[in-house]
Amino acid sequence: LVTTCIRPALAAAAVPPGEPSLLRAVPWRRVAKALAVLWTASVALSLKQAGSAANPERRRAGQPIRCPWPFVLVAPPWTELGRRSLSAGFHDWQTWVAVCLYLLLRG
């Protein structure tokens, strides 16, 4: 009984020879790229709208990170200041705009 129910469904889902299947017809790389671009753009927009309150390392009492945006990303991550700099860099909206542009312009 099970095989008689499954075979017609499999036959209906089968693709005639010479025609691409749905999995091959959909450009999955472009779909993934578009989703990544939309996600990074939404992160950048939400961080931009949140303002300076979105970046706790830049406002930290005692030792705030005051380095300009692109330079916070080149700090050595194995030091405490480097980890804080990277955290500050990934809480800046400019980082996510750069990631979004990289994804858009990458072939």
Side-chain angles (χ1 to χ4, degrees):
L1 177 67
V2 173
T3 57
T4 58
C5 294
I6 294 176
R7 285 189 185 176
L10 289 176
V15 178
E19 291 188 28
S21 69
L22 179 62
L23 291 176
R24 291 186 188 144
V26 175
W28 292 109
R29 283 186 86 161
R30 286 187 180 184
V31 170
K33 183 178 178 179
L35 290 174
V37 166
L38 288 174
W39 181 73
T40 55
S42 69
V43 169
L45 183 63
S46 66
L47 287 172
K48 175 71 174 163
Q49 288 175 344
S52 62
N55 198 337
E57 293 295 338
R58 295 242 185 229
R59 301 182 59 170
R60 183 175 174 177
Q63 284 186 315
I65 303 290
R66 296 184 185 185
C67 192
W69 169 72
F71 301 108
V72 295
L73 298 175
V74 295
W78 54 86
T79 64
E80 177 63 28
L81 184 60
R83 284 190 293 275
R84 289 186 50 231
S85 293
L86 288 173
S87 176
F90 282 105
H91 281 92
D92 285 338
W93 64 271
Q94 295 96 331
T95 302
W96 293 102
V97 168
V99 170
C100 184
L101 289 174
Y102 172 77
L103 289 172
L104 278 173
L105 299 176
R106 192 175 137 230

